[in-house]
Amino acid sequence: MSQLVVLSLGTGDLHSGFPVVTAHLWECPELPPVKFIGRLPAAPQISVTYRSWQLLYHALCHRLDLSARIEVEASDITNVSAVEFSELCEQLVDQINVWLNSEPFRNIDQQLRTNLNASDEIRVLIETNDPLLRRLPWHVWSFFEHYPKAEIALSASEYQRSQSSSFRNNQDKVRILAILGNSQGINLNQDRAFLEQLSDQAEIEFLVEPQRKQLNERLWQGWDVLFFAGHSSSQEKGLIQINPTDSLTLDQLKYALKQAIAQGLKLAVFNSCDGLGLVQQLADLHIPQMIAMREPVPDLVAQEFLKHFLKAFVQGEPLYLAVRQAREQLQGLEDHFPCATWLPVIYQNPAEQPLRWKNLSHQNHKVAQDKLTHFQRQAPWLLVGSGVAIVLALMSGINGFSSLFPTVSSIEQQAARSPKLPELSIAHTFPGHKEAVWSVAISPGGQTFASGSEDSTIKLWHLKTGELIRTLAGDSGAVRSVAISPDGQTLVSGQSDNTVHIWNIKTGKLKQTLRGHLAPVWAVAISSDGQTLATGSYDGTIKLWNLNTGELNQTLAGHSGPVWSISMSPDGNSFASASSDKTVKIWNLQTGELLRPPLIGHSDAVRTVVIGSDNQTLVSGSWDRTIKIWNLHTGELGRTLSGHENRITALALSPNNQTIASGSVDQTIMLWNLGTGESLTTLSPHSDWILSLAISPDGQALLSGSRDRNIFRFDGLQSQNWSAFLTRHNRF
């Protein structure tokens, strides 16, 4: 499980202390964070010791002539003792741990250890604008010894999501613009050789010691990765030396970099020296992620870090875990390069999600997966790049890297020998929402659909033309769920302020607000006769209302956890509910009584449930990464489908009951044959979690809504060729 901890240090400094320190723990993005409060006492000795450590480190680099990727100035210290430096390192580590183990901070430390598991992937963000705190080696905190999949990152106290496009057509390979800057005293030829070994996964263009005009022009061309190798420094502002005579601050490339971010900039890696000044400049432009070096870095250390980082990252490790593994592998160099493991650090914009390599290139993700999955995945399905990512980096050192993966051509040759599914295509993109799209619902006539978003709006669209009909905006916070009545005249929305809104679709006017839930309303569903509205809430209850009058008929309290999803049976006699208590319950719609014992089988929260058009099939999707197919009337489990790499968040069933669509936190949509349970294909158009799915009444169109704020329409789901394929491969 992936966890996020944001440790906000607030106001203060090491000399006066930090009177209010707040830790937020996100165990699930769909739930509010857990919050812990403490404080940190004054620790001026850490400041003094760090300054001494930094002075000796710079002097040691100069004395040992470590070929750092920065011009290290000679220190006044001429007699540098390795033993003295080692003792100073131990002193700094001890002081940091005494500070973080102090009584005022102990509540936060103990609460984190209570709520986190050693097997969790944990991102720990230190939220501070203090330059000295950013330079501290936070990874030496004893907390990290107990969590092998945890890694530290820095973040600013203020941040916002980048306003970027997350969709580009015809993007199979990562596009890298490699800038080899001033190479005086360092070896960049090796860097180039290592980069060229990525040719199976990336399209690379090299700029060797470019002029500013040339660099600026190329930055506007929509690259996925910008690679920088050469000298750099952090003075009042960070500088990169692009050639032997010219140095630039990133402010001097501001407009080009802003354009890159607008095209989807995802990652910047400064594997050159002393990169925190560069990080600060790019952070002001709201870049999602960066990797930098805190201090001067020796040439070999820079090369080894990138070698190990790229190997782990491209093979599928999350960015944070890849950085930790690469950083810790530098320990083998510390006999000759002291504190090498202290240098790399991540900068994270908390409003953005961390990367995996597949986010940069869906082609690479599929090539890595195809050998391990069913033959259908070997076909050349729709592959869409997730956006522009710029990496300002010195990347190096993966001998034989391309041999780690099969080539695209070899996969295509295997696919040619296997039956091929008809190709699905993205027919339209619906931009407009400013935050995550939690829910989509298609009208019974199939002409229009509604989308509900974290941005507190509902948008009504023409399904075929993509025209925005109108935007419904209230003052009740985020819209977590939407449903349209069978006559197409009424829209219902579940709100984050615990209310339910009933809208007139034709006029766009709010008709009524229903109150009664004590927590956000995550599920709304309307009976087939249009008379009854069922709402499910984070408060664990289900409420049944008269849709026409707004009168509350019943409150059902059968679940012991939040209710995430409700689905009505087509015959109007029953409905199903899914909950964090790991169960699905089947209810009598008229009496509110449970029709049978809960459906038990999932090992984690059940996030989504849908009843088929045959009035017999029930499908559930869970955070345990599985989909289960049940008999609605008997409660018997038919089969379990596995294939997603992370939590399942959305399901949809085709009207002919042949195809299941599933969406996940892993940013993919999978299509399944309901009759056989076989995986048909995987679509990866989004650059963030899939939150909602819907299939049109004619079965032709599939809608997907995502945390990346986009909605996509796929066409051809029930084409003649698609139906024929399903028929040939259906065992029943």
Side-chain angles (χ1 to χ4, degrees):
M1 185 181 295
S2 178
Q3 311 273 29
L4 170 63
V5 176
V6 178
L7 192 62
S8 177
L9 300 183
T11 59
D13 55 39
L14 287 171
H15 292 278
S16 60
F18 299 87
V20 179
V21 178
T22 305
H24 287 93
L25 169 60
W26 276 266
E27 297 179 285
C28 170
E30 295 158 320
L31 301 178
V34 182
K35 180 180 179 181
F36 314 114
I37 296 177
R39 62 184 179 88
L40 281 167
Q45 69 278 9
I46 293 178
S47 176
V48 174
T49 304
Y50 176 78
R51 297 298 185 192
S52 298
W53 176 90
Q54 186 182 49
L55 189 63
L56 280 181
Y57 177 79
H58 283 229
L60 195 63
C61 286
H62 181 73
R63 194 199 75 176
L64 298 178
D65 189 22
L66 296 183
S67 298
R69 299 195 169 193
I70 187 175
E71 295 176 358
V72 181
E73 295 182 3
S75 169
D76 291 336
I77 300 177
T78 57
N79 183 20
V80 182
S81 165
V83 174
E84 179 185 358
F85 182 72
S86 177
E87 292 175 350
L88 198 58
C89 293
E90 293 179 5
Q91 184 180 347
L92 182 57
V93 171
D94 290 343
Q95 289 176 355
I96 290 173
N97 277 288
V98 168
W99 185 50
L100 295 175
N101 291 328
S102 61
E103 182 63 32
F105 190 72
R106 192 159 298 158
N107 176 56
I108 290 178
D109 182 84
Q110 291 178 347
Q111 292 285 0
L112 291 178
R113 294 175 191 265
T114 299
N115 285 275
L116 296 171
N117 296 317
S119 60
D120 292 341
E121 294 176 9
I122 307 169
R123 296 175 288 127
V124 181
L125 273 59
I126 305 299
E127 191 177 280
T128 179
N129 291 328
D130 187 301
L132 178 57
L133 289 178
R134 290 186 169 195
R135 288 192 175 272
L136 292 182
W138 287 90
H139 70 279
V140 302
W141 182 13
S142 60
F143 170 88
F144 290 98
E145 295 177 3
H146 304 284
Y147 299 94
K149 295 184 178 180
E151 181 62 349
I152 201 78
L154 304 174
S155 85
S157 298
E158 294 185 6
Y159 43 82
Q160 66 185 50
R161 180 171 290 186
S162 60
Q163 298 298 314
S164 63
S165 168
S166 59
F167 172 76
R168 280 192 299 158
N169 287 305
N170 304 318
Q171 182 62 50
D172 290 343
K173 287 189 174 184
V174 177
R175 299 188 68 230
I176 300 176
L177 179 63
I179 301 172
L180 306 181
N182 181 15
S183 60
Q184 183 177 358
I186 55 178
N187 179 13
L188 300 187
N189 291 328
Q190 185 67 61
D191 298 29
R192 178 168 186 153
F194 288 143
L195 271 180
E196 287 172 342
Q197 294 183 35
L198 297 176
S199 58
D200 285 348
Q201 293 83 29
E203 174 188 335
I204 308 169
E205 178 180 334
F206 290 93
L207 294 181
V208 180
E209 297 188 345
Q211 298 299 310
R212 176 181 175 180
K213 181 176 183 295
Q214 181 187 15
L215 172 57
N216 185 77
E217 288 176 349
R218 298 309 296 157
L219 280 174
W220 284 76
Q221 302 307 310
W223 301 94
D224 292 306
V225 175
L226 175 63
F227 174 102
F228 174 78
H231 291 289
S232 68
S233 65
S234 290
Q235 300 167 1
E236 185 174 335
K237 287 190 174 182
L239 291 170
I240 56 172
Q241 298 182 21
I242 61 173
N243 58 53
T245 59
D246 296 322
S247 296
L248 297 177
T249 68
L250 295 188
D251 281 346
Q252 293 174 290
L253 297 170
K254 178 179 178 180
Y255 297 117
L257 291 170
K258 287 181 70 174
Q259 175 65 16
I261 293 173
Q263 296 180 61
L265 179 90
K266 297 297 182 189
L267 176 67
V269 180
F270 295 91
N271 203 32
S272 52
C273 284
D274 195 16
L276 291 183
L278 299 169
V279 161
Q280 182 58 53
Q281 291 180 70
L282 268 187
D284 293 340
L285 301 179
H286 310 297
I287 183 173
Q289 282 113 171
M290 290 174 275
I291 300 172
M293 297 291 177
R294 288 187 175 93
E295 301 290 344
V297 57
D299 205 13
L300 182 59
V301 172
Q303 293 171 0
E304 287 294 301
F305 170 74
L306 261 297
K307 176 178 74 175
H308 297 306
F309 167 70
L310 278 181
K311 182 177 181 180
F313 191 45
V314 176
Q315 285 183 317
E317 294 288 6
L319 179 80
Y320 280 65
L321 194 54
V323 169
R324 174 161 180 168
Q325 291 177 5
R327 181 176 55 74
E328 291 183 339
Q329 284 177 293
L330 298 178
Q331 190 174 35
L333 302 177
E334 289 190 332
D335 284 348
H336 301 288
F337 306 105
C339 291
T341 56
W342 290 27
L343 301 179
V345 64
I346 300 169
Y347 176 90
Q348 174 74 47
N349 178 348
E352 301 284 349
Q353 285 303 301
L355 282 178
R356 290 178 182 260
W357 176 259
K358 67 180 182 181
N359 302 143
L360 299 177
S361 171
H362 297 293
Q363 175 75 27
N364 279 280
H365 171 56
K366 288 189 66 59
V367 169
Q369 292 293 321
D370 280 338
K371 275 196 169 183
L372 305 175
T373 53
H374 196 263
F375 69 87
Q376 282 94 343
R377 282 216 198 160
Q378 296 173 345
W381 302 119
L382 173 66
L383 303 170
V384 182
S386 62
V388 181
I390 288 193
V391 179
L392 295 175
L394 167 85
M395 295 180 169
S396 58
I398 300 190
N399 290 313
F401 187 84
S402 60
S403 65
L404 294 173
F405 297 95
T407 64
V408 175
S409 60
S410 67
I411 295 298
E412 290 176 342
Q413 290 170 5
Q414 294 177 48
R417 297 190 294 270
S418 304
K420 293 184 179 181
L421 282 167
E423 181 177 340
L424 296 182
S425 59
I426 291 181
H428 204 89
T429 303
F430 301 83
H433 281 298
K434 297 179 180 179
E435 295 293 340
V437 180
W438 285 109
S439 183
V440 290
I442 302 175
S443 66
Q447 301 300 309
T448 61
F449 76 93
S451 58
S453 170
E454 186 72 18
D455 65 12
S456 303
T457 70
I458 300 165
K459 293 184 182 294
L460 299 176
W461 313 81
H462 279 294
L463 180 62
K464 296 298 184 183
T465 67
E467 178 188 354
L468 177 62
I469 301 171
R470 64 173 52 92
T471 297
L472 311 180
D475 55 359
S476 298
V479 181
R480 297 292 163 79
S481 50
V482 293
I484 298 175
S485 63
D487 62 8
Q489 300 301 308
T490 301
L491 184 144
V492 178
S493 62
Q495 308 288 141
S496 64
D497 72 346
N498 314 341
T499 65
V500 178
H501 287 180
I502 301 177
W503 306 81
N504 184 306
I505 288 182
K506 185 175 181 180
T507 65
K509 300 296 184 181
L510 178 63
K511 295 168 56 178
Q512 197 169 6
T513 298
L514 308 182
R515 293 180 172 85
H517 283 296
L518 303 178
V521 180
W522 283 93
V524 294
I526 301 172
S527 62
S528 58
D529 62 6
Q531 299 300 307
T532 304
L533 167 67
T535 60
S537 168
Y538 188 72
D539 64 13
T541 68
I542 298 166
K543 293 183 182 292
L544 301 180
W545 314 76
N546 184 307
L547 181 61
N548 296 318
T549 67
E551 180 183 357
L552 176 62
N553 295 331
Q554 295 186 73
T555 297
L556 312 178
H559 283 293
S560 60
V563 177
W564 295 112
S565 178
I566 293 175
S567 180
M568 293 284 185
S569 65
D571 64 8
N573 293 325
S574 62
F575 69 94
S577 59
S579 169
S580 283
D581 65 10
K582 308 177 186 179
T583 70
V584 175
K585 295 182 185 290
I586 313 299
W587 309 79
N588 184 301
L589 183 60
Q590 281 70 43
T591 67
E593 297 177 347
L594 284 171
L595 292 176
R596 61 189 50 82
L599 306 185
I600 298 175
H602 286 293
S603 61
D604 206 336
V606 186
R607 181 61 180 83
T608 178
V609 65
V610 60
I611 296 175
S613 60
D614 61 357
N615 213 63
Q616 295 184 7
T617 304
L618 182 147
V619 182
S620 59
S622 169
W623 289 350
D624 67 9
R625 308 182 185 188
T626 69
I627 300 164
K628 293 185 182 293
I629 303 173
W630 313 78
N631 184 297
L632 176 65
H633 300 297
T634 67
E636 181 183 359
L637 176 62
R639 57 169 50 93
T640 298
L641 312 181
S642 299
H644 280 292
E645 299 176 358
N646 212 321
R647 295 168 171 167
I648 292 169
T649 52
L651 289 174
L653 274 179
S654 62
N656 63 8
N657 250 48
Q658 286 190 330
T659 307
I660 303 171
S662 60
S664 169
V665 171
D666 67 12
Q667 305 177 16
T668 68
I669 301 164
M670 295 187 70
L671 300 182
W672 310 79
N673 186 318
L674 178 61
T676 67
E678 291 180 305
S679 168
L680 301 173
T681 189
T682 299
L683 309 175
S684 303
H686 289 285
S687 62
D688 213 327
W689 303 337
I690 313 301
L691 298 177
S692 50
L693 294 171
I695 296 176
S696 61
D698 64 4
Q700 294 294 336
L702 169 67
L703 285 179
S704 62
S706 168
R707 206 163 87 158
D708 67 8
R709 301 165 294 194
N710 284 322
I711 303 168
F712 294 137
R713 188 186 88 228
F714 298 85
D715 281 355
L717 184 62
Q718 200 164 299
S719 65
Q720 182 176 353
N721 290 337
W722 181 274
S723 298
F725 182 93
L726 290 173
T727 301
R728 288 196 303 271
H729 292 83
N730 197 326
R731 298 174 188 170
F732 305 107

